[in-house]
Amino acid sequence: MSIKSDNRHLYLQVIDRIKRDIETGVYKEKQKLPSEFELAKQLGVSRATLREALRVLEEENVIIRRHGVGTFVNARPLFTSGIEQLSSVTDMIRQAGRKPGTIFLSSSIQQPTEDDIRRFQCSADDDILLIERVRTADGEPVVYCIDKILCKYLPKGISYEQESLFENLHNQANRDIAYAVARIEPLGYHEKVSPILQCEPETALLVLKQMHFDKNDEPIFYSINYFRSDKISFHVLRKRLSF
């Protein structure tokens, strides 16, 4: 079962071999892999080489290592999305062939913080509508959402019949989101969010922070979305600039 069949670094060959074994069903989702000693012996590589391969696979969320328990095949994401295309969470779930749902947790009117004043370019007298929700796909919680909107855009509050804030803003305020400035941050276990999303302790979260603007470059709403990394993955198309 040795993998020493080409001239690439051994750890790259190990990565490809383990990924192939997962794809072909040798190792199934959430199945425990053999011990490092056994797996290194099967593949004909050193444990140091195997550990480097496992490190990369863990970074790619292909596997998950549980201290004192072992290494397991990670569950495949329910869906994936291109980060370069701005879509609502509702549309993202629909495009994956899943049924979107919403669990509304809370909504409140707050005074803007200093960060809010900077983000929205508003005054300290402008009220902020804070909405806390859990988004589901086929009834399964996948995203915990915190949204902040200037109350002047939704003076009557949010329409709970419409799950998408994009649709709420379009229908109630005639405001269409043109683009967003986004930042993605990896996050481990979160004391509040992880239990709400029914995450295992080892399940990582992907935090997407976005400021949304209309076609006139006016900031409309700010969102912080916590995605379960085992349920959704993001990809981006990168193009080389012409010389």
Side-chain angles (χ1 to χ4, degrees):
M1 297 181 65
S2 173
I3 64 168
K4 299 175 182 177
S5 57
D6 59 41
N7 295 322
R8 294 178 302 153
H9 288 295
L10 281 178
Y11 81 93
L12 296 176
Q13 298 178 53
V14 172
I15 290 170
D16 287 348
R17 174 59 179 272
I18 293 176
K19 284 182 176 179
R20 185 167 65 250
D21 285 347
I22 293 172
E23 289 291 333
T24 57
V26 175
Y27 303 120
K28 303 184 185 304
E29 288 186 10
K30 300 185 178 180
Q31 179 180 343
K32 184 178 180 180
L33 295 179
S35 68
E36 287 187 2
F37 175 80
E38 294 170 341
L39 195 54
K41 184 177 180 181
Q42 290 176 10
L43 299 175
V45 298
S46 68
R47 293 179 68 177
T49 296
L50 177 64
R51 288 192 187 109
E52 177 63 16
L54 294 178
R55 182 190 64 79
V56 174
L57 289 169
E58 185 176 29
E59 288 180 352
E60 295 179 355
N61 287 321
V62 175
I63 63 169
I64 185 168
R65 291 196 270 191
R66 298 175 182 170
H67 182 69
V69 180
T71 301
F72 296 80
V73 178
N74 224 344
R76 292 182 181 179
L78 289 174
F79 51 95
T80 184
S81 175
I83 196 65
E84 70 276 2
Q85 181 178 0
L86 179 60
S87 300
S88 69
V89 173
T90 300
D91 288 339
M92 192 184 301
I93 294 172
R94 283 177 181 154
Q95 290 167 7
R98 307 276 177 166
K99 182 180 179 180
T102 301
I103 302 170
F104 284 92
L105 300 179
S106 69
S107 64
S108 60
I109 306 297
Q110 299 184 350
Q111 291 298 112
T113 64
E114 290 185 6
D115 285 339
D116 291 331
I117 293 173
R118 175 180 52 80
R119 291 189 188 105
F120 287 99
Q121 302 172 21
C122 65
S123 73
D125 296 326
D126 287 318
D127 289 333
I128 297 283
L129 173 63
L130 176 67
I131 306 167
E132 184 183 17
R133 303 177 295 165
V134 173
R135 307 308 311 279
T136 62
D138 292 345
E140 187 173 6
V142 291
V143 192
Y144 171 81
C145 304
I146 297 175
D147 297 291
K148 288 186 172 186
I149 309 171
L150 286 173
C151 286
K152 65 182 181 181
Y153 296 130
L154 291 176
K156 297 181 181 179
I158 185 173
S159 172
Y160 292 97
E161 291 78 18
Q162 295 173 331
E163 296 179 334
S164 171
L165 284 184
F166 286 23
E167 293 175 7
N168 267 279
L169 286 163
H170 173 77
N171 295 329
Q172 295 189 56
N174 196 29
R175 293 276 180 169
D176 292 316
I177 300 302
Y179 66 95
V181 177
R183 185 169 81 243
I184 298 180
E185 300 173 359
L187 183 67
Y189 184 84
H190 190 286
E191 289 186 359
K192 177 182 178 179
V193 177
S194 296
I196 289 176
L197 294 180
Q198 301 174 14
C199 295
E200 297 291 335
E202 299 83 3
T203 301
L205 300 171
L206 292 174
V207 185
L208 181 61
K209 299 180 179 180
Q210 295 190 103
M211 190 71 230
H212 299 76
F213 299 83
D214 65 10
K215 63 181 180 180
N216 297 318
D217 300 322
E218 189 169 351
I220 305 299
F221 80 93
Y222 179 71
S223 65
I224 305 176
N225 294 332
Y226 296 79
F227 294 86
R228 287 185 57 163
S229 63
D230 61 338
K231 299 302 179 183
I232 183 170
S233 64
F234 292 108
H235 60 266
V236 62
L237 175 64
R238 302 180 67 198
K239 294 183 178 181
R240 191 165 184 236
L241 295 175
S242 301
F243 291 97

